[in-house]
Amino acid sequence: MWFNQAKCDIYMGTGAGTKLLKEIGNAQCSVKISSPYLSPKMVDELVWLHKKGIKVTLITSDKFDSRSYRQEKSILPLVVQNRHLDEEANLVRKKWFLTQRILMTGSVALALILLILTIASYNSIYILGLGIAFLLFLCSRYARRKTKHIKIYSYTYSSLFPFKVFVAPDSYQINDMFIHGKIYIIDGHTAYLGSLNFTESGTKYNYETRIRVTDTEAVRKIEEEFDSLYDHPGLAFFGIEEWGRSIYTEPINQSSSELRVTFS
């Protein structure tokens, strides 16, 4: 993209993101951000905007940020885990759980009865029946293992709002281009360009450079470039399912304390 003679404000120094953050916080309809590095607190601001009804779009990369956190820490709030229950498998698991409880209760009850009979009658013959109680106990342990290994949950993932994490060239040698440019577009009529990343250090503390553009035609072209970059057909990015599996655990079922043995 090339645009000549755009009128803009220029700022150099620390606190380069002060006005930027204020305008992002006051956005009325949309915010678009491209920044290779993020910090969790800044992403929380985007989540807050999304909950207010602001349309948020984000471009970033899988690079480490300045504090050596993986981007997972920042991306986590943007990835929604959707858990799906297999009703048929869950019914089978409940039956095994009920069987385990019956067998365990039966083995304990039988063992107690046999001990009481042995003590009351002074006849050790009842002790032989403990073998049956022990067999019931072993069967209950088998049933318990079955409940632990039956998979009743599957998972899919969705994004809180549109975002893409492009693969950095030095990570997997897939993309030749690293998305290093920082672009901020607020409500389609104000754009910021410069060196500051969407991090606390970049927006508040580092010595950074930035320009603020309100020229209608310039902002339009900047937004077109952003949209083109977001939909770039030649750049690999991490899919939402891949992010979900790397961020979340995926238990195959619930613990026994959570299981309710009810049949409809």
Side-chain angles (χ1 to χ4, degrees), residues 210-246:
R210 65 98 173 141
I211 64 171
R212 178 179 180 271
V213 184
T214 56
D215 183 285
T216 302
E217 183 63 14
V219 174
R220 184 183 68 80
K221 285 187 172 292
I222 292 170
E223 188 162 20
E224 286 179 356
E225 179 67 17
F226 179 97
D227 294 340
S228 176
L229 182 61
Y230 187 90
D231 295 320
H232 198 298
L235 291 176
F237 60 92
F238 292 100
I240 191 66
E241 295 293 328
E242 187 173 1
W243 271 114
R245 288 191 296 271
S246 69

Side-chain angles (χ1 to χ4, degrees), residues 44-263:
D44 287 343
E45 292 295 316
L46 299 183
V47 173
W48 174 74
L49 286 174
H50 169 76
K51 290 180 179 179
K52 283 178 57 181
I54 305 300
K55 184 178 180 181
V56 179
T57 310
L58 175 66
I59 294 173
T60 188
S61 102
D62 68 322
K63 294 280 286 183
F64 286 89
D65 70 13
S66 59
R67 295 186 179 180
S68 297
Y69 291 129
R70 287 293 295 178
Q71 290 286 50
E72 281 90 340
K73 190 176 181 68
S74 299
I75 295 299
L76 176 60
L78 308 184
V79 180
V80 180
Q81 184 183 61
N82 307 294
R83 189 172 71 177
H84 309 282
L85 176 65
D86 183 332
E87 296 287 356
E88 184 175 342
N90 191 39
L91 183 61
V92 171
R93 185 168 186 263
K94 286 182 176 181
K95 289 179 178 178
W96 274 107
F97 183 72
L98 180 60
T99 300
Q100 182 256 330
R101 292 184 65 179
I102 292 173
L103 289 171
M104 178 60 75
T105 302
S107 67
V108 172
L110 180 58
L112 287 174
I113 291 171
L114 291 171
L115 287 174
I116 292 171
L117 289 174
T118 300
I119 294 171
S121 64
Y122 298 102
N123 190 342
S124 61
I125 191 65
Y126 294 107
I127 296 297
L128 298 177
L130 290 177
I132 299 175
F134 183 67
L135 180 62
L136 291 176
F137 173 77
L138 292 179
C139 290
S140 74
R141 298 294 295 177
Y142 173 78
R144 185 172 183 272
R145 285 196 298 272
K146 291 290 290 186
T147 64
K148 290 177 64 176
H149 292 97
I150 294 176
K151 181 178 180 180
I152 65 172
Y153 294 135
S154 61
Y155 299 87
T156 58
Y157 297 90
S158 55
S159 57
L160 188 67
F161 55 72
F163 74 90
K164 278 190 177 177
V165 183
F166 287 107
V167 179
D170 57 354
S171 297
Y172 298 91
Q173 299 300 320
I174 297 174
N175 291 335
D176 294 328
M177 180 174 65
F178 177 44
I179 311 302
H180 194 254
K182 292 79 174 178
I183 307 170
Y184 305 87
I185 306 167
I186 301 106
D187 292 333
H189 59 62
T190 304
Y192 284 80
L193 305 173
S195 64
L196 64 162
N197 287 294
F198 199 58
T199 61
E200 290 180 86
S201 56
T203 55
K204 299 177 182 179
Y205 310 118
N206 293 348
Y207 184 96
E208 304 280 3
T209 62
R210 65 98 173 141
I211 64 171
R212 178 179 180 271
V213 184
T214 56
D215 183 285
T216 302
E217 183 63 14
V219 174
R220 184 183 68 80
K221 285 187 172 292
I222 292 170
E223 188 162 20
E224 286 179 356
E225 179 67 17
F226 179 97
D227 294 340
S228 176
L229 182 61
Y230 187 90
D231 295 320
H232 198 298
L235 291 176
F237 60 92
F238 292 100
I240 191 66
E241 295 293 328
E242 187 173 1
W243 271 114
R245 288 191 296 271
S246 69
I247 291 173
Y248 289 96
T249 59
E250 296 185 349
I252 63 171
N253 53 50
Q254 72 268 56
S255 65
S256 298
S257 61
E258 298 173 312
L259 189 60
R260 299 290 181 269
V261 185
T262 56
F263 300 94

Side-chain angles (χ1 to χ4, degrees), residues 9-56:
D9 300 329
I10 300 173
Y11 182 85
M12 302 172 69
T14 58
T18 301
K19 190 169 184 177
L20 166 65
L21 294 178
K22 184 177 181 180
E23 291 202 74
I24 288 176
N26 292 329
Q28 298 299 306
C29 61
S30 66
V31 170
K32 296 182 176 181
I33 295 175
S34 175
S35 173
Y37 304 101
L38 305 170
S39 63
K41 188 172 182 179
M42 294 293 99
V43 173
D44 287 343
E45 292 295 316
L46 299 183
V47 173
W48 174 74
L49 286 174
H50 169 76
K51 290 180 179 179
K52 283 178 57 181
I54 305 300
K55 184 178 180 181
V56 179

